[in-house]
């Protein structure tokens, strides 16, 4: 099995290449990744490229913004030479190792150079004073096309009318028999409008282009003008031969660029003919470029409007989902003899995969904190399913371990293989005696009031939803008066400061040691305060959830509690 080569550019625009020489390579924002991409939309460990023995596949690691191959979102995708992997705003190209030459590492530069070479083979344009696109069209009339275009846009603000005017003027300038405007979509480029030389509208059924030329222009972002003959590197392409084309002009429609996006190829202006077109002067080419630029702006505005409308609809739906999920969390913490309970949860998005819940009986208080893999609506739906299953089993089975056994089998039978759950559970009696269970979850901590020490409660059972044969058993737990139990999700310890450094377990343990004696309510306030100061406004990257359970202290212990300096 051949080892493909990956090609990408870093933050400074420097080109990098990596031959996949090991079974798995990690792509992400962390410095220890094999491919480090410094982009805020790239997760710390975003995706892997790995061998399955016969081929290479890219695997998304539950990233926040997704992994795309050739414009399509993927979870797991077999890679082929020429594939383009987009992660955040970065693109990684999969090269064919047999096709790599001394200068092919410059990627699109080769395509652009080929495009420039094709244009150099076109006879030079006549001087401006002598140039004409037709016997009756003067340079002043050509420039008036652009003025008319601007006037039409200010008067109508109609994208369809604007596209029609652009095509009419492009056909007059070039002498082409057909013209199309293509808009970008998920599958490449789709028909937006077409006209023939008589300015009659062409239907989408009549829409045909040279895919090789469109691809060249899209990749290189440079126009191709072949108005008198087809360049040799295109002349034998199947689409050119099949349509019997003698001339083609093709220009990228590039938007003016929006914040965090930069200028993008929004579409294509495509002109072709079965006979030679007009000889293009320098002014003609400038006007065609300007027409393409105007079409790009229109497409970008349309895309922007669609995004706003889609965002409004999504925010409406997410608002309803957020409200629904909020109702699934306990409206208040339970009042149980001998304990003070405080809780906090904030999803990364409107909804998330973290949740906590309580089940208070006559003799025991059971607290659950779970973290569902992934983020957003999908994680929230699985969390709701899990929450219902836990309530059903824990209310009917006395032993928490046996209840979790049943929940694990239920998840294995009803969820995808790449979906899983970690959780921790504490069940405590009035006197402080109880049990603790952790299934693949990060450690929980106890502040011991008697000594001021921090006791770690690590996980000793596998995650839920992956191995149906797994078994779960709770271990004894006891809280003395003044002790404080902290259950948490990894969103707390993995919160990042503006430089990307994690809040971390050591910082949390030191904080808990310092504030544990103050009790659950004061500790919750202080944890949230120090967390906000640490992240200093940096965008949250994971759901943050924690629960504090305090075994109520005696009056003497309470009077002595304070925050050490």
């Amino acid at each position: 099995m051949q080892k493909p080569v990956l090609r990408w550019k870093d933050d400074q625009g420097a080109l990098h290449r990596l031959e996949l020489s090991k079974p798995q390579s990690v792509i992400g924002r962390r410095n220890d990744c094999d491919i480090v991409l410094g982009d805020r939309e790239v997760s710390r460990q975003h995706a892997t490229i790995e061998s399955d023995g016969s081929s290479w596949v890219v695997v998304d690691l539950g990233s926040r913004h997704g992994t795309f191959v050739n414009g399509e979102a993927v979870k797991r995708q077999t890679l082929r030479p020429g594939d383009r992997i987009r992660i955040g705003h970065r693109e990684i190209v999969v090269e064919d190792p047999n096709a790599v030459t001394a200068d092919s590492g410059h990627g699109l530069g080769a395509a652009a150079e080929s495009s420039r070479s094709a244009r150099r083979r076109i006879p030079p344009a006549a001087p401006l004073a002598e140039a004409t696109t037709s016997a009756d069209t003067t340079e002043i009339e050509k420039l008036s096309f652009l003025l008319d275009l601007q006037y039409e846009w200010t008067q109508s603000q109609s994208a369809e009318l604007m596209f029609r005017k652009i095509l009419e003027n492009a056909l007059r300038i070039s002498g082409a028999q057909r013209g199309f405007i293509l808009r970008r979509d998920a599958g490449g480029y789709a028909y937006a409008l077409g006209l023939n030389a008589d300015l009659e509208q062409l239907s989408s059924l009549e829409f045909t282009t040279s895919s090789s030329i469109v691809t060249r222009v899209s990749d290189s972002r440079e126009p191709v003008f072949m108005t008198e003959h087809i360049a040799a590197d295109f002349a034998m392409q199947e689409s050119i031969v099949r349509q019997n084309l003698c001339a083609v002009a093709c220009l990228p429609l590039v938007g003016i660029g929006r914040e965090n996006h930069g200028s993008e190829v929004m579409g294509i202006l495509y002109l072709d003919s079965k006979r030679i077109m007009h000889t293009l002067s320098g002014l003609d080419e400038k006007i065609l470029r300007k027409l393409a630029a105007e079409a790009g702006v229109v497409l970008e505005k349309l895309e922007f409007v669609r995004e706003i409308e889609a965002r409004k609809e999504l925010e409406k739906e997410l608002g309803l989902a957020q409200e629904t999920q909020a109702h699934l969390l306990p409206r208040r913490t339970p009042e149980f003899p001998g304990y003070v309970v405080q809780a906090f949860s904030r999803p990364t998005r409107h909804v998330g995969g973290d949740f906590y819940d309580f089940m208070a009986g006559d003799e025991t208080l059971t607290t659950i904190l779970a973290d569902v893999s992934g983020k957003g609506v999908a994680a929230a739906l699985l969390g709701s399913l899990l929450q219902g299953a836990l309530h059903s089993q824990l209310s009917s089975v006395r032993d928490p371990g046996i209840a979790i056994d049943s929940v694990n089998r239920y998840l294995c039978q009803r969820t995808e293989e790449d979906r899983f759950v970690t959780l921790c559970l504490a069940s405590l009696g009035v006197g402080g005696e109880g049990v603790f269970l952790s299934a693949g979850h990060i450690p929980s901590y106890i502040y011991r009031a008697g000594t001021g020490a921090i006791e770690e409660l690590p996980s000793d059972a596998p995650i839920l939803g992956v191995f149906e044969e797994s078994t779960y058993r709770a271990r004894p737990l006891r809280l003395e008066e003044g002790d404080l139990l902290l259950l948490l999700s990894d969103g707390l310890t993995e919160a990042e400061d503006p430089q990307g450094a994690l809040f971390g377990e050591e910082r949390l343990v030191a904080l808990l040691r310092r504030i544990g004696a103050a009790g659950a309510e004061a500790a919750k306030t202080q944890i949230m305060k120090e967390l906000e100061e640490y992240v200093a406004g940096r965008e949250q990257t994971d759901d943050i959830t924690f629960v504090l359970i305090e075994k109520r202290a005696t009056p003497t212990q309470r009077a002595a509690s304070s925050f050490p300096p």
Side-chain angles (χ1 to χ4, degrees):
M1 180 177 60
Q2 292 181 325
K3 299 175 182 177
V5 176
L6 305 180
R7 183 180 79 244
W8 74 96
K9 289 184 178 180
D10 62 20
D11 297 343
Q12 286 72 43
L15 189 67
H16 296 267
R17 296 176 68 248
L18 173 69
E19 183 182 28
L20 296 178
S21 57
K22 60 181 185 177
Q24 183 183 79
S25 297
V26 180
I27 305 170
R29 204 169 69 245
R30 283 179 24 173
N31 291 331
D32 58 352
C33 292
D34 299 283
I35 297 178
V36 179
L37 302 178
D39 188 319
R40 291 189 64 181
E41 291 192 9
V42 177
S43 300
R44 290 185 293 276
Q45 288 189 312
H46 193 108
T48 62
I49 296 181
E50 53 195 53
S51 168
D52 63 5
S54 60
S55 59
W56 294 86
V57 296
V58 59
V59 180
D60 184 80
L61 299 178
S63 64
R64 179 180 179 189
H65 293 281
T67 300
F68 297 79
V69 176
N70 301 328
E72 295 185 4
V74 300
K75 293 297 183 184
R76 182 183 180 90
Q77 176 71 37
T78 299
L79 295 174
R80 295 176 176 82
D83 282 350
R84 295 176 178 274
I85 306 166
R86 180 168 65 80
I87 293 178
H89 297 304
R90 305 290 179 186
E91 185 173 80
I92 301 172
V93 179
V94 182
E95 294 183 346
D96 183 347
N98 294 327
V100 175
T101 62
D103 61 354
S104 66
H106 297 287
L108 300 182
E113 179 57 34
S114 179
S115 176
R116 287 190 288 270
S117 297
R119 294 199 299 279
R120 281 197 295 267
R121 288 194 286 272
I122 299 174
L128 287 182
E130 303 172 6
T132 58
T133 57
S134 70
D136 301 318
T137 307
T138 67
E139 292 177 5
I140 293 178
E141 287 174 324
K142 296 175 195 175
L143 293 173
S144 72
F145 294 163
L146 300 179
L147 297 176
D148 291 343
L149 201 65
Q150 293 293 335
Y151 177 78
E152 292 287 353
W153 179 242
T154 57
Q155 292 299 306
S156 70
Q157 293 288 306
S158 166
E160 184 176 357
L161 178 59
M162 190 71 166
F163 287 153
R164 183 175 184 88
K165 288 293 183 182
I166 288 170
L167 279 180
E168 288 177 0
N169 293 330
L171 288 167
R172 290 169 182 162
I173 291 286
S174 66
Q177 292 180 312
R178 302 188 314 163
F180 293 101
I181 287 181
L182 289 60
R183 59 176 175 78
R184 184 187 61 194
D185 66 6
Y189 294 97
Y191 170 94
L193 184 67
L195 297 178
N196 62 21
D198 295 324
L199 306 185
E200 298 170 334
Q201 185 165 331
L202 301 173
S203 73
S204 58
L205 297 177
E206 300 173 90
F207 169 59
T208 54
T209 64
S210 167
S211 57
S212 56
I213 293 178
V214 169
T215 300
R216 169 73 63 84
V217 170
S218 176
D219 289 349
S220 69
R221 301 163 63 91
E222 291 286 337
V224 169
F225 297 111
M226 297 180 290
T227 59
E228 296 181 82
H229 66 279
I230 302 295
D233 50 346
F234 290 115
M236 298 309 295
Q237 293 290 337
E238 179 184 352
S239 56
I240 299 286
V241 175
R242 184 177 66 251
Q243 297 177 72
N244 194 29
L245 297 179
C246 291
V248 173
C250 187
L251 299 91
L253 308 183
V254 181
I256 58 177
R258 285 174 282 149
E259 185 179 358
N260 298 328
H261 287 274
S263 60
E264 299 177 276
V265 177
M266 309 299 298
I268 296 290
L269 172 58
Y270 179 87
L271 306 163
D272 67 13
S273 182
K274 295 181 181 180
R275 63 186 181 221
I276 63 172
M277 300 183 196
H278 298 152
T279 300
L280 298 181
S281 68
L283 177 61
D284 294 333
E285 288 195 10
K286 288 180 180 179
I287 292 176
L288 286 174
R289 289 174 185 266
K290 179 61 177 175
L291 292 172
E294 294 293 341
V297 171
V298 174
L299 282 172
E300 188 172 53
K301 288 180 178 178
L302 288 175
E303 183 72 17
F304 186 57
V305 170
R306 278 196 293 266
E307 286 181 5
I308 290 176
E309 292 174 348
R311 191 179 301 119
K312 286 181 179 178
E313 185 63 27
L314 178 61
E315 287 177 352
K316 180 181 177 181
E317 293 178 1
L318 288 176
L320 293 174
Q322 184 179 32
E323 183 179 349
T324 301
Q325 187 178 43
H327 286 309
L328 292 175
L329 293 175
R331 294 191 177 185
R332 60 182 63 88
T333 54
E335 295 182 1
F336 192 76
Y339 293 92
V340 177
V341 180
Q342 293 290 321
F344 172 83
S345 184
R346 184 172 65 202
T348 312
R349 306 174 186 175
H350 288 75
V351 291
D354 285 7
F355 73 87
Y356 63 86
D357 208 349
F358 307 102
M359 297 183 65
D362 294 335
E363 300 179 355
T364 58
L365 170 65
T366 300
T367 302
I368 305 157
L369 190 148
D371 185 351
V372 178
S373 63
K375 301 176 183 67
V377 175
L381 288 173
L382 181 54
S384 299
L385 178 72
L386 172 65
Q387 192 174 11
L390 287 168
H391 263 271
S392 174
Q393 291 300 313
L394 290 169
S395 61
S396 59
V397 178
R398 188 176 184 85
D399 186 335
I402 295 175
I404 299 301
D405 285 347
S406 299
V407 171
N408 176 60
R409 288 193 296 271
Y410 178 78
L411 291 177
C412 288
Q413 294 165 5
R414 287 169 174 78
T415 60
E416 299 293 332
E417 293 181 358
D418 61 344
R419 310 297 292 178
F420 60 88
V421 177
T422 70
L423 66 76
C424 56
L425 176 153
S427 185
L428 295 163
V430 176
E433 73 289 345
V435 294
F436 177 80
L437 188 152
S438 179
H441 204 71
I442 67 170
S444 299
Y445 300 97
I446 301 176
Y447 168 79
R448 294 296 186 184
T451 62
I454 301 298
E455 180 180 332
E456 180 179 300
L457 301 177
S459 174
D460 58 1
I463 59 179
L464 302 178
V466 177
F467 306 108
E468 193 169 346
E469 65 278 6
S470 297
T471 58
Y472 300 85
R473 294 296 175 263
R475 60 181 185 264
L477 173 68
R478 182 171 183 82
L479 295 184
E480 304 295 343
E481 289 186 342
D483 287 352
L484 184 64
L485 171 62
L486 171 63
L487 313 178
L488 66 150
S489 69
D490 58 7
L492 176 56
T493 54
E494 293 187 2
E496 299 177 354
D497 70 5
Q499 288 71 46
L502 302 182
F503 190 78
E505 290 84 357
E506 292 184 6
R507 189 185 307 274
L508 178 63
V509 168
L511 175 59
L512 186 60
R513 183 179 292 114
R514 180 164 58 88
I515 67 176
E521 185 173 356
K524 172 187 173 182
T525 300
Q526 193 67 13
I527 289 173
M528 293 170 61
K529 177 178 180 294
E530 297 212 11
L531 183 64
E532 292 302 318
E533 291 175 352
Y534 182 80
V535 300
R538 184 181 177 93
E539 184 180 1
Q540 186 175 325
T541 58
D542 199 359
D543 305 332
I544 297 175
T545 302
F546 63 88
V547 176
L548 290 155
I549 304 173
E550 173 195 356
K551 184 69 177 72
R552 193 181 297 276
T554 65
T556 302
Q557 290 172 316
R558 177 65 67 196
S561 66
S562 62
F563 290 135

